[in-house]
Amino acid sequence: MKKILFTATILLVSNVMIAQSEVTQEELREHIEFLSSDKNAGRFPGTKANKRVVKYIIKSFKKAGIEAYGKSYKQEFQAKIRVKKGEAPKPEATTWNVIGYIEGNDPVLKDEFIILGAHYDHLGMGGPSSKSDHEGIHNGADDNASGTAALLEIGERIAANKHLLKRSVLLLAFGAEEQGLLGSKNFTENPVVPLSQVKLMVNMDMVGRLNNENHVYMGGAGTFPGGVELMKNLGEPLGLTVFAHPGSIGGSDHVSFYKKDISVMGIHTGGHPQYHTTEDTVDLINFPGQEKVCNYIYSALMKVATTDYKMEFIRQD
């Protein structure tokens, strides 16, 4: 009888890749180094780097066995580019959201969706949102290569454990967030699933700089039943101190979903002086900390997606 050899990373069975079951610092680093590289020049909408990053995300989804929802992973849209006051308007840029799909197994609950999202774009060489006093590549390692890397790693871990899912999961990599949440606005105006079936949207924006006190911050934890208590309790086994605000919805892509009466959480590890500057680089990422944050977010998502956890929208305005 032939022995079947396998590792804890990737199985190759009948030429089919099976997803890795754990988040690893090595893959987080690989993703962030690619996304925030000088070659990708700040991941600005409408550029060759934008297309390169989209291909990378799709390739990562495929490698993990994460399917497209429908015929394509890509949702194309036109992004209006911000300009400085008094500057002539720029042409709209073609960019994309990237959508991955992991189907749930419950005959009823699989028609409900949990969305895990992160924006992959950044500021390019700067522009009106830059806080640098000079032009240069805004690599955006924390903002938001960290969130995109987390999306890929957590998505891979979900795919490896998809047999546990009751609800279905959509993985959304948003384009043009820095131009005014345009990717998430486009998705909520042109959803691939009815928004009434989306029960929770979890957004990751700047999750790579966990501090020495292990602080994790989030807004919107009170937009679904028991959210604040759930998020605080899940942090304790990982040694995280969780600041779970019931409201404080914030200014990233989850806002677009909240405006559609969908429960949300926007998760981050805090601000820093390198935000929106040329100094937000990979050498400042706390990879052991990010691994911990990814496992925390995975635990929260699976708590909702693998059970009949009661979900309903609670407005916090």
Side-chain angles (χ1 to χ4, degrees):
M1 189 164 84
K2 294 181 180 179
K3 292 182 179 180
I4 300 175
L5 300 177
F6 64 93
T7 71
T9 52
I10 300 293
L11 281 172
L12 182 58
V13 181
S14 301
N15 297 319
V16 177
M17 285 290 187
I18 299 179
Q20 181 170 285
S21 61
E22 298 295 333
V23 172
T24 71
Q25 294 176 42
E26 292 76 16
E27 287 199 347
L28 287 170
R29 180 181 292 275
E30 179 182 320
H31 292 317
I32 295 177
E33 285 181 344
F34 169 79
L35 293 164
S36 65
S37 64
D38 284 354
K39 180 180 180 180
N40 284 324
R43 307 184 301 282
F44 199 76
T47 62
K48 289 182 179 179
N50 186 166
K51 293 179 181 179
R52 188 182 304 117
V53 168
V54 166
K55 287 180 179 178
Y56 181 89
I57 294 169
I58 292 171
K59 182 179 178 181
S60 297
F61 280 170
K62 288 180 176 179
K63 181 179 177 183
I66 297 167
E67 299 177 352
Y69 192 90
K71 295 181 179 180
S72 176
Y73 289 95
K74 297 194 294 185
Q75 183 184 54
E76 182 176 311
F77 65 98
Q78 299 300 307
K80 183 177 180 180
I81 302 301
R82 284 176 165 168
V83 296
K84 294 178 180 178
K85 188 175 181 179
E87 195 174 73
K90 293 184 178 180
E92 290 190 344
T94 299
T95 189
W96 299 268
N97 294 327
V98 186
I99 306 170
Y101 171 55
I102 307 172
E103 187 177 21
N105 299 291
D106 186 275
V108 175
L109 290 178
K110 71 178 182 179
D111 292 328
E112 297 182 358
F113 294 85
I114 310 301
I115 292 177
L116 183 66
H119 76 89
Y120 65 82
D121 67 298
H122 198 49
L123 299 179
M125 298 298 289
S129 299
S130 173
K131 297 183 181 297
S132 284
D133 57 6
H134 62 279
E135 187 177 88
I137 296 173
H138 286 55
N139 303 88
D142 192 29
D143 185 15
N144 189 34
S146 69
T148 307
L151 180 71
L152 298 177
E153 280 291 276
I154 297 169
E156 186 175 19
R157 188 175 178 191
I158 296 168
N161 295 288
K162 63 184 179 181
H163 60 284
L164 301 174
L165 294 176
K166 290 190 173 184
R167 294 181 166 107
S168 296
V169 176
L170 289 181
L171 304 170
L172 282 175
F174 297 110
E177 187 270 352
E178 300 287 9
Q179 306 304 316
L181 314 185
L182 300 187
S184 54
K185 286 179 181 177
N186 180 76
F187 181 88
T188 55
E189 293 300 327
N190 304 279
V192 299
V193 300
L195 292 182
S196 61
Q197 292 172 218
V198 177
K199 298 304 175 183
L200 177 65
M201 190 277 168
V202 179
N203 188 46
M204 302 173 292
D205 195 345
M206 298 174 61
V207 293
R209 297 280 294 273
L210 187 70
N211 62 25
N212 292 334
E213 290 74 36
N214 292 318
H215 290 168
V216 177
Y217 306 90
M218 72 196 65
T223 60
F224 64 101
V228 171
E229 294 78 10
L230 172 68
M231 298 309 294
K232 287 184 176 180
N233 290 340
L234 289 174
E236 290 179 6
L238 292 167
L240 298 172
T241 300
V242 176
F243 294 86
H245 197 289
S248 188
I249 305 303
S252 189
D253 284 306
H254 54 291
V255 174
S256 301
F257 292 82
Y258 182 72
K259 288 180 176 179
K260 298 292 185 180
D261 294 342
I262 294 170
S263 302
V264 299
M265 285 192 295
I267 300 176
H268 62 98
T269 52
H272 45 73
Q274 294 78 32
Y275 169 72
H276 277 199
T277 74
T278 57
E279 294 156 7
D280 181 7
T281 50
V282 68
D283 55 296
L284 298 176
I285 297 296
N286 175 359
F287 287 102
Q290 186 172 3
E291 179 186 12
K292 191 179 295 187
V293 171
C294 286
N295 287 327
Y296 170 63
I297 295 169
Y298 170 82
S299 296
L301 188 145
M302 294 297 275
K303 178 66 176 180
V304 177
T306 65
T307 69
D308 55 1
Y309 190 103
K310 179 178 173 59
M311 293 300 301
E312 62 181 10
F313 176 69
I314 303 171
R315 182 162 291 281
Q316 290 292 328
D317 289 354

